[in-house]
Amino acid sequence: MEGYETIDEISFRSEIKALTEIRHRNIVKLFGYCSNARCMFLVYEYMAKGSLADLLRSQEEVVVLDWTKRVNIVKDISQALSYMHHDCVPPIIHRDITSSNILLDYDFKACVSDFGIARLLRPGSSNWTTIAGTYGYLPPELAYTMRVTEKCDVYSYGVVALEIIMGKHPRELIASLLADENAPLLKDVIDQRLSPPSNEVAEDVVLVVMLALACLRSDPLSRPTIQFASQKLIARKLPSHLKHFDDIKLPQLMNAEMIG
């Protein structure tokens, strides 16, 4: 039917619109596109290391993602989202922050990609929507409100941040470990394919996990803004009682007072 667009076409045009209106070092650059009756494709900047998800799954290549690189990737993602949520008018909600949609360049700089279902938060609008995104990264409130807010991205960011530190999707951790009386030590939850972090890098890892857990709070209003998380990662200030890496249990981080 003339004038009818498929879901792929709508997503294609949404991504072009989003990426031509925003510029940030941690958002993938769109160089061009092609759209005709035979094909549609986008031309992005080349990201030599591919997706974060593929790198985390690779037993051979994951070791190049040392703790410093992982912390920096978390920082890069937070800065991209902070720009989208707080510096764009109207704010842009990505709605599909996953490890598959984080691309890495040759120097492991992380860029957010895939804006096909991104949405503008317009003042005065209800911002109700159908559920869209990737299961395992969607915030729980979408199951009953289906209202898009920036806290949806915050939740997904928390999942990805934990995935980066754990080396795998944290679904079991989110579902049950935090409620366990015999809660695990942080050192036993992080990616065991690397040697444990030490010194300042260990403190950075603790800070990432603490912020990630705050982003995963079930009440969206109690989650920090992504701007807050980004500022805390830059400041690198950790409460003194959380500086003994080997003794930290996850509930200590979930209830840390500095998050607010």
Side-chain angles (χ1 to χ4, degrees):
M1 181 170 58
E2 188 175 354
Y4 174 79
E5 284 192 316
T6 66
I7 293 176
D8 286 342
E9 289 170 334
I10 293 172
S11 177
F12 181 79
R13 296 187 187 283
S14 295
E15 181 140 17
I16 293 172
K17 179 175 175 58
L19 290 177
T20 53
E21 293 180 355
I22 55 180
R23 291 286 186 276
H24 191 275
R25 70 179 297 274
N26 298 119
I27 295 175
V28 68
K29 293 180 179 64
L30 176 67
F31 289 148
Y33 65 91
C34 176
S35 177
N36 57 45
R38 297 181 60 186
C39 66
M40 297 184 299
F41 62 84
L42 303 172
V43 181
Y44 295 118
E45 64 177 313
Y46 178 59
M47 304 299 285
K49 297 298 182 181
S51 78
L52 174 63
D54 287 344
L55 207 54
L56 288 174
R57 282 195 295 262
S58 172
Q59 298 299 322
E60 295 76 23
E61 297 183 31
V62 73
V63 292
V64 303
L65 277 182
D66 59 32
W67 294 115
T68 297
K69 289 188 179 74
R70 295 189 192 210
V71 170
N72 287 336
I73 289 170
V74 174
K75 289 180 180 178
D76 287 346
I77 301 168
S78 70
Q79 289 169 14
L81 289 176
S82 182
Y83 165 79
M84 291 163 56
H85 290 184
H86 300 280
D87 296 328
C88 292
V89 181
I92 299 173
I93 309 304
H94 187 280
R95 300 175 70 202
D96 199 20
I97 295 296
T98 71
S99 55
S100 295
N101 289 336
I102 306 300
L103 304 181
L104 306 174
D105 72 5
Y106 186 79
D107 296 317
F108 295 92
K109 181 189 74 174
C111 286
V112 175
S113 70
D114 196 347
F115 285 75
I117 61 171
R119 180 159 183 161
L120 303 179
L121 281 190
R122 300 192 180 280
S125 171
S126 64
N127 294 305
W128 292 88
T129 184
T130 56
I131 292 181
T134 302
Y135 286 98
Y137 298 86
L138 295 175
E141 65 269 18
L142 283 185
Y144 55 87
T145 67
M146 289 190 283
R147 182 172 180 266
V148 175
T149 73
E150 73 278 10
K151 295 303 179 71
C152 296
D153 279 353
V154 170
Y155 182 92
S156 302
Y157 165 81
V159 176
V160 172
L162 280 185
E163 186 174 357
I164 290 169
I165 298 302
M166 296 174 63
K168 61 182 180 180
H169 193 284
R171 54 180 54 86
E172 292 87 359
L173 183 67
I174 296 171
S176 62
L177 289 181
L178 295 177
D180 190 340
E181 291 183 0
N182 299 312
L185 293 168
L186 175 61
K187 68 176 185 178
D188 296 328
V189 170
I190 62 175
D191 196 337
Q192 302 297 303
R193 295 172 293 182
L194 299 184
S195 299
S198 58
N199 303 324
E200 289 186 358
V201 178
E203 293 182 15
D204 288 340
V205 170
V206 174
L207 185 57
V208 167
V209 174
M210 181 163 47
L211 288 164
L213 293 174
C215 291
L216 295 176
R217 290 172 178 167
S218 57
D219 178 5
L221 295 178
S222 69
R223 296 171 200 153
T225 65
I226 203 68
Q227 186 178 60
F228 177 93
S230 181
Q231 291 171 347
K232 288 295 183 184
L233 288 171
I234 293 171
R236 301 177 69 185
K237 292 182 179 179
L238 192 68
S240 58
H241 69 284
L242 293 176
K243 293 188 177 184
H244 304 290
F245 186 85
D246 289 343
D247 301 325
I248 295 174
K249 290 189 175 183
L250 290 177
Q252 291 176 261
L253 302 181
M254 189 175 185
N255 300 315
E257 293 182 1
M258 66 161 288
I259 298 302

